[in-house]
Amino acid sequence: GLSNLPLARKLVTIRDDIELPLDFDALVPGKPDVARLAALYQRLGFKTWLEELEGSHAREGGHPVSEAGDELDSRLRGNDKSAKTRVDTVLDEKALDAMVARLSKAKLICLDTETDALDSMQAGLVGLVGLSFAVEAGHGWYVPVGHNYLGAPQQLPMDLVLSRLKALLQDEKKPKLGQHIKYDINVLSRYGIAVKGVAFDTMLESYVLDAAGWRHDMDSMAEQHLGHKTITFEDVAGKGKTQVSFAQVAVDKAAEYAAEDADITLRLHQVLYPKVAEVPALKNVLETIEMPLVPVLARVEQNGVLVDSAMLKRISHELGLRMEALQKECFKEAGGEFNLGSPLQLQQILYERLKLPVLAKTPKGQPSTAEDVLAQLAEQHQLPKLILDWRELSKLRSTYTESLPLAINPQTGRIHTSYAQAVAATGRLSSNDPNLQNIPVRTEEGRRIRQAFVAPAGRQLLSIDYSQIELRLMAHLSGDPRLTRAFKSGHDIHKATAAEVFGVPLENVSAEQRRAVKAINFGLIYGMSAFGLAKQLDVSRGEAQAYMDTFFARYEGVKAYMDRTRETAREQGYVETLFGRRLYLPNIRSKNAPLRQYAERTAINAPLQGTAADLIKLAMIELHAFLERDAPEVLMIMQVHDELVFEGPQRRLAELAPSLADRMCRVARLSVPLVADWGLGANWDAAHTSQGHASGPNQ
């Protein structure tokens, strides 16, 4: 108001009556303190300025900031973290024997493979080009075995190299280190080497330290933690159309690149592991969850899953026919033909021809045709609903029915997805190339696609999934007596909760009451607001708020847990899972309300989703060990969030199913029982029909 104007004027007025300790002529730039500037730029991640600083320092006669032995670098980073790697290229048996002797005596062996392909399941067949090793910082070996360009030097035969290394690589008592070492395990497995003693992975050390705070690829980590700019793949292989395969890279260039990879990985481990070890909970996450999971995931990827490509082709054809029918309906509703995949043409139809209201705009100011907008417009006109249906079928067709057959490995006849451990901030695994975790489970089309995931003749698939795992974790973490009792009763949790919330006997709970409470139950996990609940239930915001108020009045422990979690996150800047995994929340104290509110919702969700991720990982480790020991004929072939899928002989799988489900429920003791449902079938969809369940013990 008017009362603030004098203060505002005072704040914007430049004072010109202050006595200063120096005059204008003295205000000239002094000589920069390059060491302090470089340290600051490094800490803040100002890569371009750091490069400019290095360049100007070199032009002025100084040593390059990142060169070995540089005085400035040693003052900045200590020791020789960014020193250039000393390379030994192994081209004869004498050098190979000397290297193997050094590796045999080393306390830790850093290993890296170079191949002709990024897909490790293909790389084992396309070609292993070389191996690199390091056992001390500053030095690395490169053993070329597959460079085949014109004029390439004579290299040791691959069979000879692998035979000399096999015992060492398969020795459980010789600890191994790598950067994303699962890739190397998979590559070498195709050559008959089962790498054992996998003790450390720098990617996972970085991920456990701060999952979302920085990138976990080696090049980024080298700059972040060592101040070292690595030789990149493009530096040695070229870019774009001129890029050659690694087998075509000159051996001397390849040696510098590959030996540096092993050396830098070792140096990163020497920086990162002590930081992990400083926090016992993080050390526990790394050593009891993430590292033991690496060989398990490698084996799951190697196993792969059989897919019926002929069935996918039929489904694709059917989806195409349905899309054509929907397209005709769209043309009818729009009053003319248009390209359904064109946002611009759809804008013109919806907002100019049909005069529908503009509910949201794109960053460029155009009327939005995003899915959430179309869902709202569908209440006013049939065309947006038809467009949404067409888009869903188009996505399924392009992502799955057309693409999955192309992902079948020609040598194995199976699809081998890759599970990424260091992507999701909460600790969840993600599936790539192809992604098998986003196939819809509740739609008819999604179920049809899952029917194409089949077992070979004489074998079946077994699916086991945790039941309502995150809600059970909410009961455990909150300690709410009513929610705990609802789970212990073994009743339908949503019905039991509705009986509490609405104060009616269990048998009198209506379908509408159950639906409302189910929305609240799952909304709790994601910190849903009354506005979000109103939208989901199609009720007024006031009615949704009344539902939530009633819920929290009955489940005071849940409300207290949510408030406590938000407060803890604000105080310490992070939240933890039951097992000590951390998720840092830099925006939890932000003055920007949307950013802060998102961080608060994440603070509630992350311990639940992260603990669920930890539990399924522990289950994979436990079941893999059991199967290797007692039932090697049964394969673990997929992980989809809270579900594990196995393939095995029909009779043996039926015999083991209850035991495997029971083991999944016993990986942790909670205040409420863990429950896992299981089913058997000739395909993945059939295995989703529950035939039994196991229930773990309470605390």
Side-chain angles (χ1 to χ4, degrees):
L2 289 174
S3 61
N4 288 329
L5 283 177
L7 175 62
R9 178 172 180 170
K10 185 178 179 182
L11 290 171
V12 299
T13 300
I14 298 173
R15 297 284 300 273
D16 59 3
D17 57 349
I18 305 295
E19 285 293 329
L20 297 175
L22 38 79
D23 59 25
F24 182 79
D25 292 332
L27 297 174
V28 294
K31 191 173 181 181
D33 186 335
V34 180
R36 289 178 63 194
L37 276 173
L40 180 66
Y41 293 167
Q42 184 66 36
R43 181 166 60 83
L44 297 177
F46 295 159
K47 297 179 183 178
T48 303
W49 286 359
L50 185 61
E51 288 170 7
E52 289 174 0
L53 186 67
E54 291 176 347
S56 64
H57 188 56
R59 284 193 298 275
E60 290 165 11
H63 300 291
V65 173
S66 58
E67 284 294 319
D70 181 64
E71 293 175 14
L72 167 63
D73 195 63
S74 63
R75 289 203 307 275
L76 284 178
R77 304 177 185 98
N79 301 324
D80 60 348
K81 290 179 185 175
S82 69
K84 192 174 180 181
T85 304
R86 182 167 55 84
V87 181
D88 278 339
T89 307
V90 178
L91 290 168
D92 56 50
E93 288 193 57
K94 184 179 177 182
L96 178 64
D97 290 341
M99 183 191 76
V100 172
R102 285 284 306 281
L103 295 179
S104 300
K105 293 175 183 176
K107 291 181 179 178
L108 180 65
I109 300 168
C110 184
L111 158 71
D112 189 32
T113 57
E114 301 300 342
T115 67
D116 259 357
L118 291 175
D119 180 348
S120 60
M121 289 306 299
Q122 293 290 343
L125 294 175
V126 172
L128 177 66
V129 179
L131 300 99
S132 56
F133 299 92
V135 297
E136 62 179 345
H139 173 253
W141 289 277
Y142 180 58
V143 190
V145 293
H147 291 268
N148 55 18
Y149 57 90
L150 189 65
Q154 183 72 33
Q155 297 152 70
L156 289 168
M158 186 187 300
D159 289 347
L160 171 69
V161 170
L162 295 180
S163 67
R164 296 279 176 89
L165 289 167
K166 186 169 185 174
L168 193 62
L169 294 174
Q170 295 191 157
D171 189 343
E172 188 85 50
K173 295 176 182 176
K174 291 289 182 184
K176 316 297 188 306
L177 158 72
Q179 161 71 17
H180 188 208
I181 199 168
K182 174 163 63 69
Y183 177 89
D184 307 296
I185 294 171
N186 278 337
V187 169
L188 291 168
S189 76
R190 302 303 297 269
Y191 289 87
I193 294 177
V195 179
K196 300 287 184 183
V198 175
F200 303 104
D201 188 319
T202 44
M203 178 184 75
L204 297 177
E205 290 169 356
S206 173
Y207 179 64
V208 166
L209 274 173
D210 191 350
W214 52 60
R215 294 179 62 179
H216 311 295
D217 62 283
M218 194 195 71
D219 294 343
S220 300
M221 288 194 295
E223 287 202 46
Q224 172 82 20
H225 300 291
L226 305 177
H228 181 92
K229 189 167 178 62
T230 54
I231 304 166
T232 67
F233 183 79
E234 289 183 343
D235 289 338
V236 296
K239 298 179 181 180
K241 292 180 180 178
T242 61
Q243 189 173 82
V244 298
S245 72
F246 202 75
Q248 294 290 305
V249 173
V251 167
D252 57 345
K253 276 190 174 184
E256 286 184 13
Y257 167 81
E260 182 191 64
D261 275 4
D263 172 32
I264 292 298
T265 298
L266 182 61
R267 291 193 234 176
L268 280 169
H269 168 68
Q270 291 170 350
V271 171
L272 294 172
Y273 182 71
K275 292 180 180 179
V276 174
E278 280 177 13
V279 184
L282 296 184
K283 186 171 183 281
N284 181 64
V285 169
L286 179 70
E287 294 182 353
T288 67
I289 299 177
E290 296 298 349
M291 287 312 306
L293 186 66
V294 171
V296 178
L297 287 177
R299 182 64 189 278
V300 173
E301 292 175 5
Q302 291 164 28
N303 289 339
V305 59
L306 188 63
V307 171
D308 186 335
S309 56
M311 180 184 288
L312 284 172
K313 191 174 181 180
R314 289 195 301 273
I315 296 170
S316 194
H317 178 67
E318 291 168 15
L319 290 176
L321 293 176
R322 289 179 60 188
M323 286 172 66
E324 285 179 15
L326 281 170
Q327 182 174 266
K328 288 178 182 176
E329 288 187 59
C330 287
F331 292 165
K332 185 179 176 184
E333 292 291 336
E337 294 188 4
F338 67 102
N339 180 356
L340 273 66
S342 166
L344 184 62
Q345 291 186 35
L346 185 56
Q347 280 174 17
Q348 293 168 345
I349 299 291
L350 294 176
Y351 302 114
E352 295 176 21
R353 186 182 298 179
L354 300 178
K355 308 295 182 187
L356 291 174
V358 177
L359 303 179
K361 291 188 176 183
T362 67
K364 292 185 177 179
Q366 297 294 316
S368 175
T369 58
E371 288 193 13
D372 58 337
V373 173
L374 293 182
Q376 293 178 65
L377 292 175
E379 298 170 10
Q380 303 179 41
H381 199 280
Q382 180 68 8
L383 180 59
K385 172 68 169 67
L386 293 170
I387 293 289
L388 285 173
D389 290 344
W390 182 87
R391 281 185 181 178
E392 178 64 23
L393 295 182
S394 175
K395 185 178 177 182
L396 287 174
R397 194 166 186 241
S398 61
T399 308
Y400 297 112
T401 61
E402 295 285 319
S403 300
L404 284 177
L406 303 177
I408 295 172
N409 184 300
Q411 284 78 26
T412 66
R414 297 165 77 94
I415 283 178
H416 302 270
T417 188
S418 175
Y419 290 99
Q421 264 176 281
V423 173
T426 56
R428 270 188 162 188
L429 294 173
S430 61
S431 163
N432 308 294
D433 303 319
N435 182 351
L436 302 182
Q437 295 184 328
N438 284 350
I439 302 172
V441 69
R442 291 184 177 87
T443 66
E444 180 190 342
E445 293 80 11
R447 288 193 293 273
R448 286 292 312 281
I449 291 168
R450 285 170 183 253
Q451 287 168 15
F453 287 73
V454 296
R459 293 168 75 84
Q460 276 195 321
L461 300 186
L462 165 67
S463 168
I464 312 175
D465 70 296
Y466 282 126
S467 171
Q468 299 166 330
I469 183 70
E470 289 172 2
L471 271 177
R472 291 175 190 275
L473 289 169
M474 175 66 88
H476 175 79
L477 293 173
S478 70
D480 185 276
R482 284 193 170 92
L483 193 58
T484 301
R485 188 166 60 245
F487 274 117
K488 285 184 175 179
S489 70
H491 294 136
D492 175 334
I493 185 62
H494 304 306
K495 207 169 182 180
T497 311
E500 287 277 6
V501 170
F502 295 106
V504 297
L506 193 68
E507 61 273 13
N508 291 350
V509 171
S510 68
E512 189 59 34
Q513 287 172 329
R514 184 185 182 279
R515 188 170 81 92
V517 168
K518 183 178 180 180
I520 297 173
N521 278 342
F522 286 116
L524 285 175
I525 296 164
Y526 299 100
M528 185 168 61
S529 64
F531 177 77
L533 182 64
K535 206 171 173 183
Q536 191 164 329
L537 295 177
D538 195 21
V539 296
S540 70
R541 190 168 178 177
E543 197 174 344
Q545 187 63 59
Y547 277 147
M548 294 186 78
D549 291 344
T550 308
F551 180 95
F552 285 125
R554 298 296 289 168
Y555 293 94
E556 293 177 344
V558 172
K559 179 71 164 65
Y561 164 76
M562 293 170 73
D563 292 342
R564 188 168 66 248
T565 302
R566 277 189 287 261
E567 187 55 39
T568 302
R570 269 191 292 271
E571 287 174 3
Q572 61 189 24
Y574 61 86
V575 289
E576 292 179 300
T577 69
L578 194 59
F579 299 94
R581 185 188 300 277
R582 288 184 182 178
L583 176 66
Y584 288 91
L585 301 161
N587 292 321
I588 196 70
R589 302 186 196 99
S590 174
K591 292 180 180 178
N592 180 310
L595 285 177
R596 186 181 65 253
Q597 289 162 5
Y598 179 76
E600 288 174 351
R601 289 195 297 272
T602 304
I604 292 164
N605 168 249
L608 301 167
Q609 195 175 102
T611 302
D614 290 341
L615 286 170
I616 197 76
K617 287 177 174 179
L618 288 168
M620 293 179 76
I621 295 164
E622 162 70 20
L623 268 56
H624 172 76
F626 169 75
L627 292 175
E628 275 211 324
R629 185 180 64 246
D630 292 355
E633 70 276 23
V634 174
L635 308 178
M636 191 187 304
I637 60 170
M638 282 190 287
Q639 188 267 14
V640 182
H641 302 316
D642 303 326
E643 175 189 10
L644 296 178
V645 183
F646 304 84
E647 177 195 299
Q650 191 169 338
R651 185 176 295 179
R652 184 69 170 133
L653 216 52
E655 178 188 319
L656 285 174
S659 171
L660 293 175
D662 181 65
R663 285 174 179 272
M664 280 182 67
C665 295
R666 292 178 180 275
V667 292
R669 291 177 71 89
L670 305 179
S671 58
V672 296
L674 276 174
V675 172
D677 299 315
W678 60 268
L680 287 157
N683 61 64
W684 189 11
D685 181 57
H688 270 175
T689 305
S690 182
Q691 295 169 27
H693 74 272
S695 180
N698 299 332
Q699 274 183 344

